[in-house]
Amino acid sequence: MGASVSIIGLGASGISAARLALTKGETVYVSDVSTNPRVAARGRELELLGAEVQLGSHDLDRIQASRLVVVSPGIAPDTPVLAALRSRGVRWISEPEFAVRFYSGSLIAITGTNGKTTTSSLTAHLLESSGITAALGGNVGGSLAPPASDLALLDPPPAWYVLEMSSFQLADTLSFAPEIGVVTNLAPDHLDRYPDTTTYFADKALLFRNAKESSLWVLNGDDPATLALPGSAAGVRHLFTWASPGNERAGTNGSRGKPSPSAYVRDGVLTLAVGGSRGEEGGDEAPLLPRGELQLLGRHNVMNALAASLAARLAGADPEGIRKGLRSFRPLPHRLEPVLDGGGVLWVNDSKATNVAASLSAIRSMERPLVLLLGGKDKGEDFRPLGRALSGKSRAVVMYGAAAARLGRELAEALGEKEASSSRKAPVLLHVAGGLEEAVALAGSVTEAGDAVLLAPACSSFDEFEGYEARGRRFAELASLLGSSREGGER
């Protein structure tokens, strides 16, 4: 008997989709080219639930005969199995696209290049702080939340589902249509998977594919690429920006030109200006809290907080609940996370900074002199913007891993240009032949009291680790060991 649903990939999202399909009475076929023990254990778990599992290869005929094909986001479009299915005219969908078909509440979908996880987590937190039930899931890393399909099994269902959506997940959507969509920002990323930035942005723009007049869009008003992303999509646009507006009204329809901001910083205070829970025009200002009371480092996190506050308000959260939630929210792991403050040196883990834009945000957020760690697997981005940002900001840069050589060349080039036009002192560029452990040791040897050691690698972790979470955990361990050894030596 053929399967009604075929699922390609036995990662977390594949397992979640298989469980959901089985719960809904579907016959399920799951395949993965891997046969490693971890994947095999997952396969046995699904077999016990009633799925047919094939490891080591894919049965293309069986997949083609299925009513529905679900593909895990980690499987690149040019892999042999997808290329073969494409040649047969087979279409597939992403796991979140499958999941949302079973949702019974409203949906907030959050995408962008950086800040997605913080904004998604904070949005769900602010809704809960306002007494509105919310479930967080999707592309949220570090086991902070489950895949989208797990949320479809919640009983009772929440009032709002909050999904973080990657470009890979959006690429394979068809009917995906959130009530509220959020774009945090846009910058080059994943150029090891996309041929160019335009193609990457095009997948992000699929968030707006099924826009309706009732759709609400929360957009970064300081980022031209984000503002351009919806094109002529229907719905009401609400902007969050750093600078407070003049006397213009907030929350205007995108068809009438650029709207004035609905969330911004005025006199150091995070502020909303939304007329009602669904975004009517002309709302009075609602001060939320001073920037200094937000327990998140960096200007970019203020922007994330504004985006989350605006999305939560549009979903019905009241200003007092948002205010309470902003005060109680704490930094997420691997996102400008202080992991050690000892011997006068602050060690900060921003392992989630896997692209140049995220690394730049982290650099600009730090107020202490920096010893910066850069490196990992090269994703094909231009590293020179990092060099231009480092003069006068960083005392030393330690480069490691597979990307170290190109990092060194492009930083040296950018710093040379900067030095020629500036009196600000350029950092010392240091290389290690090994990986993160050697880089941390070298960074520790050049620190001075008052410094911050910042891991903001601007690269993926896959040359050395399973993911940015493992890299961040190892950085924290190494920092702690180094701090302990120094304390022992001082005694």
Side-chain angles (χ1 to χ4, degrees):
M1 179 180 176
S4 57
V5 176
S6 286
I7 295 167
I8 302 174
L10 253 174
S13 63
I15 293 172
S16 181
R19 287 176 179 154
L20 176 58
L22 290 165
T23 301
K24 299 302 179 181
E26 305 280 4
T27 56
V28 176
Y29 166 75
V30 185
S31 60
D32 196 304
V33 293
S34 176
T35 59
N36 71 48
R38 181 178 300 180
V39 172
R42 293 169 180 165
R44 287 191 294 273
E45 177 186 338
L46 289 180
E47 286 175 334
L48 291 173
L49 295 174
E52 181 180 352
V53 177
Q54 179 175 341
L55 301 182
S57 63
H58 305 281
D59 187 329
L60 295 177
D61 292 335
R62 181 164 295 188
I63 295 170
Q64 184 175 7
S66 299
R67 177 181 59 82
L68 194 64
V69 180
V70 180
V71 175
S72 297
I75 299 175
D78 58 353
T79 55
V81 61
L82 295 188
L85 291 175
R86 191 180 297 112
S87 70
R88 294 180 176 213
V90 177
R91 297 195 69 180
W92 56 83
I93 61 173
S94 66
E95 178 263 333
E97 166 75 17
F98 177 60
V100 300
R101 299 177 181 191
F102 301 98
Y103 285 5
S104 54
S106 299
L107 174 62
I108 299 173
I110 297 171
T111 194
T113 300
N114 297 308
K116 296 186 298 296
T117 295
T118 296
T119 303
S120 300
S121 302
L122 183 50
T123 299
H125 180 74
L126 296 180
L127 289 171
E128 292 282 353
S129 296
S130 297
I132 299 170
T133 57
L136 172 68
N139 190 56
V140 182
S143 302
L144 297 173
S149 293
D150 282 9
L151 304 189
L153 298 173
L154 294 175
D155 186 19
W160 285 90
Y161 300 89
V162 181
L163 289 187
E164 177 186 332
M165 294 290 292
S166 71
S167 59
F168 306 156
Q169 292 169 324
L170 286 167
D172 296 326
T173 55
L174 295 174
S175 58
F176 192 82
E179 280 77 14
I180 299 173
V182 181
V183 184
T184 58
N185 49 65
L186 289 173
D189 198 9
H190 300 298
L191 296 182
D192 52 346
R193 177 154 167 172
Y194 288 99
D196 50 47
T197 299
T198 300
T199 311
Y200 166 57
F201 286 3
D203 277 354
K204 292 290 191 185
L206 293 174
L207 179 72
F208 306 93
R209 169 186 272 170
N210 300 300
K212 303 184 289 288
E213 290 300 323
S214 60
S215 301
L216 298 173
W217 306 116
V218 175
L219 307 173
N220 187 332
D222 295 340
D223 182 12
T226 297
L227 290 174
L229 194 68
S232 60
V236 180
R237 289 143 171 78
H238 286 269
L239 307 188
F240 59 97
T241 73
W242 182 263
S244 59
N247 296 317
E248 301 168 292
R249 290 190 301 172
T252 63
N253 190 286
S255 64
R256 301 175 219 157
K258 179 180 175 181
S260 58
S262 297
Y264 43 84
V265 179
R266 185 184 290 282
D267 299 326
V269 176
L270 280 69
T271 303
L272 287 178
V274 181
S277 63
R278 299 300 293 175
E280 296 86 349
E281 295 185 14
D284 293 332
E285 284 193 337
L288 297 175
L289 84 167
R291 177 188 176 190
E293 293 184 21
L294 189 68
Q295 301 296 308
L296 298 169
L297 294 175
R299 174 171 169 152
H300 67 290
N301 272 324
V302 175
M303 294 291 281
N304 293 338
L306 290 171
S309 299
L310 182 50
R313 180 71 180 116
L314 294 173
D318 60 271
E320 183 52 42
I322 294 172
R323 193 174 296 120
K324 181 173 67 173
L326 289 172
R327 282 201 178 96
S328 60
F329 190 76
R330 295 293 179 267
L332 299 176
H334 318 299
R335 295 160 179 84
L336 278 181
E337 175 194 18
V339 295
L340 178 70
D341 192 350
V345 177
L346 175 67
W347 296 75
V348 180
N349 168 24
D350 200 39
S351 183
K352 185 63 173 64
T354 59
N355 55 58
V356 170
S359 187
L360 284 170
S361 290
I363 292 165
R364 290 165 180 157
S365 297
M366 303 303 297
E367 297 180 358
R368 298 190 185 202
L370 285 181
V371 175
L372 177 65
L373 275 65
L374 295 173
K377 183 177 183 293
D378 195 332
K379 295 168 73 176
E381 285 191 76
D382 182 358
F383 292 128
R384 284 171 294 188
L386 292 169
R388 300 181 191 115
L390 287 170
S391 290
K393 187 80 177 180
S394 175
R395 288 199 309 99
V397 180
V398 180
M399 292 161 286
Y400 70 94
R406 191 166 74 85
L407 271 163
R409 289 194 301 272
E410 295 192 1
L411 290 186
E413 178 184 337
L415 287 165
E417 294 171 356
K418 187 77 175 178
E419 248 188 328
S421 61
S422 172
S423 59
R424 302 175 76 183
K425 187 175 180 181
V428 177
L429 301 182
L430 305 170
H431 294 76
V432 295
L436 182 65
E437 185 167 349
E438 291 80 7
V440 168
L442 180 55
S445 71
V446 299
T447 57
E448 298 177 2
D451 283 353
V453 178
L454 172 65
L455 173 68
C459 301
S460 79
S461 59
F462 298 125
D463 61 335
E464 190 176 357
F465 299 96
E466 288 187 352
Y468 72 83
E469 303 97 333
R471 175 172 62 189
R473 287 192 297 270
R474 184 57 179 154
F475 173 77
E477 291 168 358
L478 293 168
S480 180
L481 288 170
L482 192 59
S484 298
S485 65
R486 284 184 169 180
E487 287 178 6
E490 288 169 2
R491 287 195 299 268

